Amino acid sequence: GATLGRLSRTKIMLPVDKNGNPDWKFMEDYIKELEKDKMKKYMYYLINALKDIKYKKIVPLEKKKWREYTIDYLFYIKSGVRLTKKDMIEGKTPFIGSVDSNNGITNFVSNYNESLDCNVLGVNYNGSVCEAFYHPYECIFSDDVKHLSLKNVKGNKYIYLFFKSVIYKQKYKYTYGYKFNANRMKKQIILLPVNDRNEPDYEYMEQFIKNLMFVKYNKHIDYIRQEEYITI
């Protein structure tokens, strides 16, 4: 084990100065350069992302009319396929597992099966239940993850990200004694903003997420510029 005694005797490699002492200045400057490079890449990402996002004034969430829907009413719910680690073949296709991070990606494989899909929302019903991730790319899904696609409209990144938050709100009700199984997923009721025709207001959902991103991305750009990581 990593006992205190063993830890204190552990040797590490460090850059040194001409006198053989740890070169603290080099270490500091090296990390600053790494940080600057990351910030530069992130800045370019933000600027490119904002080209596709326009801010529009919309009705606040609390003033919208809302209506209940079951997940099954709104989505085609498709099953994943069991794939064990020993059967995985290394490749470039994302494999989506029931986790709460890394956009659900647990491996990259060259296996293919009937769960192959894209432009869908992956929703965990085992493991990290109700965690949901949007997948614009082709990927295959674990048998612990359902992949959902909207029935009446062509979903996109912004609409699916709205649903990600709505579905995650249900997480609190599911425990070891009350599992989020496939049948309960179908019947799960969620609240959605509706339009004048009393139908899900997909345009509103899309613009709401775009507005959030627009504000957030511009705040990040301002921060990077204020910290003088990069000037563009």
Side-chain angles (χ1 to χ4, degrees):
T3 63
L4 185 59
R6 285 174 180 162
L7 185 61
S8 65
R9 294 191 299 272
T10 299
K11 293 182 179 180
I12 58 175
M13 296 288 291
L14 292 177
V16 295
D17 59 22
K18 61 183 179 181
N19 297 318
N21 298 316
D23 195 337
W24 307 114
K25 184 67 169 61
F26 174 84
M27 296 183 222
E28 180 180 353
D29 291 343
Y30 179 76
I31 295 301
K32 283 182 177 178
E33 282 301 312
L34 286 180
E35 188 176 47
K36 185 176 181 180
D37 184 60
K38 290 290 184 183
M39 287 294 184
K40 182 177 180 179
K41 290 178 180 177
Y42 185 46
M43 175 70 103
Y44 282 118
Y45 167 81
L46 294 174
I47 291 172
N48 287 326
L50 283 170
K51 292 177 181 177
D52 299 323
I53 301 174
K54 302 298 180 186
Y55 186 93
K56 293 181 182 178
K57 190 173 182 180
I58 57 175
V59 177
L61 280 177
E62 62 272 16
K63 292 187 177 181
K64 282 287 288 183
K65 181 181 178 182
W66 295 70
R67 181 182 167 190
E68 293 182 344
Y69 294 92
T70 62
I71 291 179
D72 186 47
Y73 177 84
L74 299 164
F75 291 95
Y76 296 109
I77 302 174
K78 295 164 279 187
S79 298
V81 176
R82 183 171 177 77
L83 180 63
T84 62
K85 284 189 176 181
K86 70 181 181 65
D87 292 328
M88 289 182 182
I89 304 170
E90 186 177 348
K92 296 182 179 180
T93 301
F95 175 74
I96 311 303
S98 183
V99 294
D100 62 359
S101 59
N102 204 34
N103 218 51
I105 299 172
T106 60
N107 212 334
F108 288 89
V109 300
S110 58
N111 305 74
Y112 287 93
N113 55 48
E114 58 267 32
S115 74
L116 183 69
D117 212 342
C118 66
N119 192 37
V120 292
L121 190 68
V123 181
N124 300 345
Y125 72 99
N126 268 329
S128 299
V129 298
C130 290
E131 296 283 354
F133 298 100
Y134 172 61
H135 305 286
Y137 39 76
E138 282 197 337
C139 52
I140 62 173
F141 295 82
S142 150
D143 56 339
D144 289 325
V145 183
K146 300 289 188 183
H147 41 122
L148 281 56
S149 57
L150 286 161
K151 290 181 176 179
N152 298 319
V153 296
K154 181 175 175 58
N156 59 38
K157 173 182 179 179
Y158 310 104
I159 295 173
Y160 281 125
L161 287 178
F162 189 95
F163 276 102
K164 168 187 169 69
S165 296
V166 171
I167 292 173
Y168 182 78
K169 294 277 186 187
Q170 308 303 318
K171 185 180 180 72
Y172 75 94
K173 68 189 286 186
Y174 294 103
T175 63
Y176 288 107
Y178 191 73
K179 288 188 175 294
F180 189 46
N181 57 35
N183 192 47
R184 285 175 180 152
M185 182 184 290
K186 290 180 180 180
K187 296 179 180 179
Q188 176 61 57
I189 294 173
I190 56 176
L191 279 169
L192 293 178
V194 294
N195 56 28
D196 295 337
R197 299 184 299 277
N198 211 32
E199 299 170 342
D201 196 340
Y202 295 110
E203 289 184 7
Y204 177 86
M205 297 180 216
E206 179 175 351
Q207 191 58 53
F208 179 82
I209 296 298
K210 283 182 175 179
N211 286 357
L212 286 182
M213 287 184 169
F214 183 89
V215 172
K216 178 180 178 181
Y217 288 177
N218 276 293
K219 282 183 178 179
H220 288 191
I221 288 173
D222 289 342
Y223 170 79
I224 293 171
R225 285 176 172 159
Q226 287 171 8
E227 293 296 317
E228 297 183 346
Y229 286 113
I230 182 173
T231 55
I232 295 180

